[in-house]
Amino acid sequence: MSRHRLFFAAAVAGTLVAGGCDRESAPAPAAAPAPAVAPQAAATNFQPTITADDFVAHVKTLASDEFEGRAPGSAGEEKTVEYLKAQFQRMGLQPGNGDSYFQTVPMVESTADPNTVLRLDVDGKPRELKFGTDMVVGTRTGQQKVSIKDSDLVFVGYGVNAPEQNWNDYAGVDVKGKTVVMLVNDPGFHAQDPKLFEGKRMTYYGRWTYKFEEAARQGAAAALIIHDTEGASYGWDVVKNSWSGAQFDLPASDDPEPRLPAQGWISADAARTLLRDLGHDLDGLYRAANQRGFKAIPLDASASLELDSQISRKSSRNVVAKLPGAKRPDEAIVYMAHWDHLGNHAHEGEPAPAAGEDAIYNGAIDNATGVAGILEIAGAFAAQNPKPDRSVVFLAVTLEESGLLGSKYYVAHPSMPLEKTVAVINLDAMPVLGPSRDMTVVGFGSSELEDMLKTAADGQGRVLHAEATPEDGFYFRSDHFNFAKAGVPALYAKGGEDLIEGGTGAGQAAQVDYRDNRYHKPSDQYDASWNVTGVVQDLEALYAVGRELSGNERWPKWYEGNAFRAAGDRLQAQRGEAAATSPSGAP
């Protein structure tokens, strides 16, 4: 799940079920020789059906120390993508990107100096905020040095400009060259007011990525988000780990979104102290920012920053495999998962771990489980008889933890046209808690794909429901979101929290335990105590959706009133135009 590198922590629904010297001009390092397939998997006699043993074998390999946390651009990437290619070849699947299993994703790697301090002038008195303890900051500009001097601070509420909501936190204030300070999530959550935005359910305006983009559109020099655990849905340690070490972005030429010279987070404690010294109460600012008509508040303070970063231009790879359709090979269902995680923080440029501390972020649940899941589903499709009428594409993307960048690049450069992409089914952080009586659909109530999933779940005696914590915004934090924005119907579902053994109490407790103790931490490792029988159920249900779609001519739609319905209608129109101009008139 997404980090910034990580924050799109497309976590488990409900949290489990739920990046010195200037290297910018240097050529990207040559790819290392293809490593041998890891011995755990090489010795496995994989079955053509979805099995717990095969799923575990994939997870154990991908989450092993040998794969070093699967960081993009690392030796761990090379092992990962070659492993995936070998598995797809073993199944007899074809390359999915022309004649290659790989799609090169250009990236800029930035590693901020961990000794960076943010210097503040607070009512004439100097103060320093330390990296990691009080704040984290980075740049997406690709510049080795970013200098900000005496930039006035302005509190801009939630940093939202939403005309359809009649809401503009920037109304009447000029923030050009200034440093904006803002709150995470959106007003409906903190006010607990269902009449504001979508109430408890996070909208895209609540995502930290949107807030930085809007601040850049407004001309700010820098932006700081005030962290709070409930609003962000993760603690400060996750923020610190996510922004430490190498951060990745697409080059500006491949990503037209506006960018700030510097952006980051400030801890709640540091923010509360700073605001108190400026004569403001953080709780009072929350209350003010939750009111329609809020006006930005200039703060009697300025910020200065000398940010040095190691910069290099590299590339990573998406892995794409395809099972061609027997009758309509130009139409495709896509199964996807992100293969990347946070890597080995013992490497040069990363904050040094304490003596004896584990520095490898293995990412077993996030997201070796999702990758293992699409491999198991791929094996089932490869063995299916008769073969599917439509093509089925298996897409393992990179740079999810850096802001969904691998999927963003694929959507901009698809191997199958988006208007001919029937649906995308995303697997991210599968729950390993045993079988459940339910399935969680993140973003429940979105598209007709849920009708098809319901049929499969009914056959398993399970019910569908929304994620338990819609305020966490998980729908915007995993790779299906880029497809959804483009109009492709997307399904993101996994086992629920009503466990056969222990009920919802046990399920919720396990989710909290994962969030607090393993999510985006080195302790997210494979554990022999996992109960993956529920994952097998989940994979069978998700396979059933794709099997049905791949064997008929149906084009599922977004439900009426969904935010992505208009984009979906545009894809449908493109499909119709293509059919009208084809020689046969066939789709």
Side-chain angles (χ1 to χ4, degrees), residues 115-286:
N115 296 313
T116 299
V117 296
L118 179 64
R119 292 181 168 84
L120 302 175
D121 184 300
V122 181
D123 195 19
K125 298 177 181 178
R127 176 174 300 174
E128 291 186 350
L129 299 183
K130 295 182 179 180
F131 191 99
T133 303
D134 305 313
M135 61 84 189
V136 290
V137 68
T139 183
R140 296 187 59 216
T141 62
Q143 297 177 355
Q144 179 198 357
K145 290 184 176 294
V146 172
S147 180
I148 297 172
K149 185 172 178 59
D150 298 329
S151 172
D152 291 339
L153 268 62
V154 182
F155 176 70
V156 293
Y158 290 90
V160 169
N161 180 13
E164 76 282 3
Q165 296 278 355
N166 190 28
W167 193 286
N168 185 1
D169 288 324
Y170 290 97
V173 62
D174 182 0
V175 299
K176 291 182 176 63
K178 299 178 181 179
T179 295
V180 295
V181 181
M182 65 192 88
L183 306 172
V184 73
N185 215 305
D186 47 35
F189 169 75
H190 284 112
Q192 297 295 295
D193 184 349
K195 296 179 182 179
L196 290 180
F197 290 69
E198 294 186 17
K200 185 179 178 182
R201 187 186 188 110
M202 182 188 285
T203 71
Y204 187 51
Y205 295 114
R207 290 294 300 136
W208 59 274
T209 47
Y210 162 80
K211 296 174 187 293
F212 290 147
E213 290 167 5
E214 185 59 37
R217 283 189 284 269
Q218 297 290 335
L224 294 171
I225 295 175
I226 298 173
H227 174 262
D228 77 86
T229 297
E230 291 74 21
S233 81
Y234 36 74
W236 181 252
D237 281 351
V238 173
V239 179
K240 181 173 65 175
N241 292 340
S242 300
W243 287 65
S244 298
Q247 311 288 300
F248 302 105
D249 286 294
L250 297 179
S253 58
D254 287 294
D255 180 9
E257 296 292 345
R259 302 185 180 197
L260 289 162
Q263 60 189 43
W265 295 67
I266 181 171
S267 74
D269 289 342
R272 190 174 294 277
T273 300
L274 169 65
L275 292 167
R276 182 191 63 212
D277 291 350
L278 290 169
H280 297 283
D281 173 63
L282 180 56
D283 295 330
L285 291 178
Y286 271 107

Side-chain angles (χ1 to χ4, degrees), residues 33-87:
V37 175
Q40 304 100 301
T44 300
N45 182 21
F46 289 103
Q47 302 301 308
T49 55
I50 296 170
T51 72
D53 287 345
D54 290 354
F55 174 84
V56 166
H58 290 307
V59 172
K60 289 173 70 175
T61 298
L62 292 164
S64 66
D65 281 357
E66 181 183 355
F67 280 56
E68 296 189 75
R70 305 188 305 279
S74 71
E77 162 166 349
E78 189 68 24
K79 290 182 173 70
T80 301
V81 299
E82 289 294 342
Y83 176 81
L84 296 176
K85 175 184 175 181
Q87 293 305 310

Side-chain angles (χ1 to χ4, degrees), residues 240-412:
K240 181 173 65 175
N241 292 340
S242 300
W243 287 65
S244 298
Q247 311 288 300
F248 302 105
D249 286 294
L250 297 179
S253 58
D254 287 294
D255 180 9
E257 296 292 345
R259 302 185 180 197
L260 289 162
Q263 60 189 43
W265 295 67
I266 181 171
S267 74
D269 289 342
R272 190 174 294 277
T273 300
L274 169 65
L275 292 167
R276 182 191 63 212
D277 291 350
L278 290 169
H280 297 283
D281 173 63
L282 180 56
D283 295 330
L285 291 178
Y286 271 107
R287 290 190 294 271
N290 290 337
Q291 301 299 313
R292 194 175 298 280
F294 164 80
K295 299 298 182 183
I297 301 173
L299 302 173
D300 190 13
S302 62
S304 297
L305 176 71
E306 296 296 328
L307 176 61
D308 292 329
S309 302
Q310 294 181 354
I311 304 293
S312 62
R313 298 188 180 276
K314 298 182 178 180
S315 63
S316 187
R317 282 169 290 179
N318 293 333
V319 185
V320 195
K322 178 174 66 175
L323 179 64
K327 296 181 180 179
R328 293 184 297 284
D330 60 331
E331 301 172 3
I333 294 91
V334 176
Y335 283 90
M336 70 182 306
H338 75 92
W339 60 256
D340 64 302
H341 200 57
L342 308 185
N344 186 346
H345 283 210
H347 287 165
E348 181 181 359
E350 302 280 357
E357 181 179 314
D358 186 0
I360 297 177
Y361 288 67
N362 302 83
I365 288 174
D366 181 17
N367 184 35
T369 58
V371 177
I374 66 168
L375 289 175
E376 283 299 281
I377 292 173
F381 270 107
Q384 182 178 304
N385 188 18
K387 297 298 183 186
D389 294 343
R390 287 166 156 162
S391 296
V392 187
V393 172
F394 300 93
L395 174 62
V397 295
T398 184
L399 294 165
E400 189 267 1
E401 302 287 13
S402 303
L404 314 185
L405 301 182
S407 56
K408 176 184 279 191
Y409 190 83
Y410 178 89
V411 168

Side-chain angles (χ1 to χ4, degrees), residues 452-463:
M452 305 170 74
L453 180 62
K454 182 179 184 303
T455 300
D458 286 346
Q460 297 177 336
R462 299 203 287 173
V463 297

